[in-house]
Amino acid sequence: MVSSVWGMCVEGIQARFVRVEVDIANGLPAFEIVGLPATAVREARERVRAAIRNSGFSFPMQRITVNLAPADLRKEGSGLDLAIAAGILAALGEVPGDLDNYVLSGELSLDGRVRPVTGILTLAVVLRAQAEQREREEGQGWTLVVAQENVIEARLAEKVPCCGVTTLSELVGVLNGRETGQLTDERPNVTDSAEGKAQVDFRDIRGHLQVKRVLEVAAAGAHNVLMIGPPGVGKTLMAKAFAGILPPMNREECLQVTQIYSLAGLLSAQPRDNPLIRQRPFRSPHHTATLSAMMGGGQRAMPGEVALADHGVLFLDELPEFPRDVLEALRQPLEDGVVHIARQKWKAVYPARLSLIATMNPCPCGYLGDLGRECRCTPAQIKAYRGRISGPLLDRFDIQVEVGPLSYEEMHGPGEGEPSAKIARRVAAARELQQERLKGHFRQEKGQGIGFADNVLANARMSGALTREICRLGESGQQLMRRVFSDNMLSVRAYDRVLRVARSIADLAQEQEILTEHVAEAISYRGIVESLRFLE
């Protein structure tokens, strides 16, 4: 007796189809699972055996062999429980043998209940793309069968018929046509707009007009920012306000962020009737975070803080206090927009299109250059402190700004600052210009139906060649850049980043051409990096 049924397993932010083949033959009672199963999959033998018995079905006292194809793909997690149980029941004749129109994913409890699993949205998104191709070629698609608690999440993918079941007995009824389960292909009632509420409003932040201007430019072009200043001047407060002036996410960006949080098991904070994440992520890991916590890792290569900040903000407070290996590992994701995680038995690629906002003190005590308080650090201590941040990492900060202390008059002066909503409108207008300008220049790379799409067509995402094509300067602007570059103040990477920042400044001013004043302002945002490399 042989049967087969479709399952799926998650591989990073992608998913792979798994053909669950079941053979029941005469011989000594045995239950073997082959096809490179991980520990959780091998343990499915006991869960499936108990679930079938406790659901009122007889478990065969024969030799059962379950093959998970392709055999060279490592299978992780407990999501294949439901497919294995359905395959055994199909081989016994309890359900129809032809189950090619179903894809099953769920964990079984010993009493036959179906429990939810993580990563269901990723399965649904991949299935949506594959189902469209299958309908064109074969005239039929798939129905995704999941635990009842996963139905709302699966429906976010749209156009994927989903069926929610609560028990194994209910699954048998659905496959036999006696029950319909919670069958639906509708999506939750959500809007395409994804505006999030800011943690801090710029209106409540006194003074710091230059820093606010810098953060507005950074938001307009998706640039990375480094703020340097003594403790207590408001660096962290302004970093939290930064997320509130970013443009709202579109639906595809919301889906991608929700996929990552689903894989990490972090959707419990979302409303059960609408788990779609609509607010841009703001991740603020402590400086004691390990390399695996930041970049992702573990046996299943789970997403880390870098991936969880996708399409949002990664805030690193007290940047030099982070371990050196963690900081150096950030260089590749900041440049490529993706993070690669490779383990002995598992590999994953996660998107990492984020804005990095970092802060640091000018010295270990924090008061170097402060007119009100004396710095007691020695030159050697200052050099060692600044040396914790390498030059290549500093180069990846498009904008650096010095944050000084406020005067008494600035703290208690009349009036309020400009609200975040007003700044956000200017940022959105600048992004619209970039969307039109860069449309067609970015290639959307897809794999298994999931695109690591550069949905954010922003100036900071441009390659070096595209930067020189888009950011053409006038004669006076070229002379200024030539003089700065000839004085060895800029590396080649920094040169391109200055051009991108100048383009963002011009976009905020709604200018089609990059003017000399735009170039001069962009150059002024690089001075701190150069001063940090050498002690004067």
Side-chain angles (χ1 to χ4, degrees):
M1 296 178 287
V2 180
S3 68
S4 62
V5 62
W6 287 110
M8 296 183 79
C9 64
V10 178
E11 193 176 57
I13 198 175
Q14 301 180 4
R16 298 280 296 273
F17 282 90
V18 175
R19 191 66 170 174
V20 180
E21 301 170 341
V22 178
D23 174 71
I24 301 179
N26 294 328
L28 294 175
F31 190 173
E32 296 292 337
I33 299 179
V34 299
L36 208 59
T39 302
V41 181
R42 289 197 301 267
E43 292 175 346
R45 294 176 300 184
E46 307 306 323
R47 293 192 296 270
V48 169
R49 180 187 286 111
I52 290 178
R53 286 176 175 172
N54 293 326
S55 297
F57 305 102
S58 60
F59 192 84
M61 299 301 293
Q62 295 172 282
R63 183 174 184 82
I64 303 174
T65 303
V66 176
N67 179 47
L68 307 177
D72 60 345
L73 172 67
R74 185 171 178 82
K75 288 79 178 179
E76 294 273 0
S78 57
L80 292 173
D81 288 9
L82 205 60
I84 294 173
I88 293 175
L89 293 174
L92 294 174
E94 297 288 351
V95 296
D98 184 13
L99 300 176
D100 280 348
N101 295 336
Y102 294 94
V103 176
L104 294 83
S105 180
E107 178 184 328
L108 284 173
S109 64
L110 299 183
D111 59 0
R113 287 179 294 177
V114 182
R115 290 173 172 163
V117 295
T118 60
I120 285 296
L121 181 56
T122 295
L123 305 187
V125 171
V126 173
L127 194 61
R128 176 182 62 182
Q130 296 293 329
E132 292 174 355
Q133 179 179 353
R134 191 185 190 206
E135 287 178 356
R136 290 193 300 267
E137 296 176 354
E138 304 178 16
Q140 60 182 357
W142 279 293
T143 296
L144 179 61
V145 181
V146 297
Q148 183 60 45
E149 291 88 340
N150 283 140
V151 170
I152 298 297
E153 180 183 339
R155 287 167 57 192
L156 293 174
E158 296 183 342
K159 300 179 181 179
V160 178
C162 301
C163 179
V165 294
T166 57
T167 64
L168 183 60
S169 299
E170 186 177 351
L171 171 66
V172 172
V174 169
L175 298 180
N176 284 321
R178 297 193 302 268
E179 301 180 27
T180 60
Q182 297 295 323
L183 183 62
T184 179
D185 59 358
E186 300 177 357
R187 72 170 189 175
N189 185 21
V190 297
T191 61
D192 290 334
S193 176
E195 296 182 0
K197 184 178 180 181
Q199 298 184 39
V200 180
D201 197 299
F202 273 114
R203 176 178 54 192
D204 302 325
I205 302 176
R206 300 280 182 161
H208 295 306
L209 298 182
Q210 180 191 9
V211 184
K212 293 178 181 178
R213 166 66 176 175
V214 163
L215 294 177
E216 181 179 344
V217 172
H223 301 289
N224 303 322
V225 180
L226 174 64
M227 294 186 285
I228 304 176
V233 296
K235 302 187 297 295
T236 301
L237 194 66
M238 286 183 283
K240 292 180 178 180
F242 176 79
I245 63 174
L246 293 174
M249 293 193 292
N250 60 38
R251 182 168 179 81
E252 290 303 315
E253 293 166 358
C254 292
L255 279 176
Q256 187 161 285
V257 173
T258 306
Q259 283 179 246
I260 298 173
Y261 276 67
S262 174
L263 292 171
L266 298 177
L267 284 186
S268 57
Q270 296 297 112
R272 293 188 61 182
D273 60 341
N274 180 18
L276 185 70
I277 295 177
R278 303 174 62 233
Q279 185 173 355
R280 290 192 180 272
F282 183 88
R283 305 295 299 184
S284 179
H286 193 261
H287 59 76
T288 57
T290 63
L291 181 62
S292 295
M294 186 68 71
M295 307 306 297
Q299 291 185 346
R300 297 181 59 189
M302 299 299 289
E305 293 292 338
V306 171
L308 293 171
D310 183 47
H311 293 305
V313 179
L314 178 63
F315 174 51
L316 302 183
D317 197 11
E318 303 295 343
L319 186 67
E321 301 298 333
F322 282 82
R324 182 64 178 261
D325 60 339
V326 171
L327 295 180
E328 293 306 303
L330 289 172
R331 289 159 52 179
Q332 180 265 329
L334 292 179
E335 197 73 24
D336 299 338
V338 295
V339 54
H340 296 265
I341 304 174
R343 296 295 181 265
Q344 182 179 6
K345 299 179 180 179
W346 196 262
K347 293 183 180 180
V349 181
Y350 293 106
R353 288 300 189 190
L354 54 90
S355 294
L356 176 61
I357 308 296
T359 67
M360 64 176 288
N361 296 327
C363 65
C365 76
Y367 299 118
L368 179 65
D370 193 324
L371 299 178
R373 283 164 288 192
E374 180 182 358
C375 173
R376 299 181 180 275
C377 302
T378 66
Q381 289 175 326
I382 298 174
K383 185 175 182 179
Y385 178 76
R386 293 173 172 178
R388 297 176 187 175
I389 306 175
S390 66
L393 179 60
L394 284 173
D395 251 355
R396 284 165 171 79
F397 287 98
D398 304 348
I399 301 175
Q400 302 85 32
V401 61
E402 188 173 0
V403 185
L406 294 178
S407 65
Y408 182 85
E409 287 72 18
E410 287 177 314
M411 287 191 298
H412 298 278
E416 295 180 335
E418 195 174 22
S420 293
K422 186 175 181 180
I423 300 175
R425 286 193 290 270
R426 294 198 297 266
V427 170
R431 286 286 183 96
E432 288 178 3
L433 290 178
Q434 297 167 45
Q435 294 277 342
E436 288 298 322
R437 184 188 308 117
L438 300 175
K439 190 182 302 180
H441 288 285
F442 283 73
R443 180 171 61 89
Q444 189 174 24
E445 298 181 357
K446 293 187 176 182
Q448 297 289 335
I450 296 179
F452 285 3
D454 221 339
N455 297 318
V456 181
L457 302 183
N459 292 328
R461 313 301 189 213
M462 294 189 295
S463 64
L466 184 58
T467 298
R468 294 180 179 85
E469 177 185 346
I470 297 294
C471 304
R472 299 183 181 274
L473 303 179
E475 183 60 31
S476 59
Q478 290 182 19
Q479 291 179 359
L480 179 59
M481 289 293 287
R482 183 181 300 112
R483 185 166 65 250
V484 173
F485 190 80
S486 299
D487 292 341
N488 295 322
M489 293 181 62
L490 296 175
S491 65
V492 176
R493 182 190 292 115
Y495 178 87
D496 289 340
R497 291 181 182 271
V498 168
L499 291 179
R500 295 168 194 157
V501 173
R503 181 66 264 176
S504 297
I505 296 172
D507 289 338
L508 279 173
Q510 297 292 300
E511 295 283 355
Q512 295 298 323
E513 303 294 332
I514 301 177
L515 306 180
T516 305
E517 54 262 34
H518 302 151
V519 178
E521 183 179 353
I523 291 174
S524 69
Y525 296 152
R526 300 292 306 187
I528 293 179
V529 164
E530 303 306 321
S531 66
L532 284 175
R533 287 180 177 161
F534 305 100
L535 283 176
E536 298 181 354

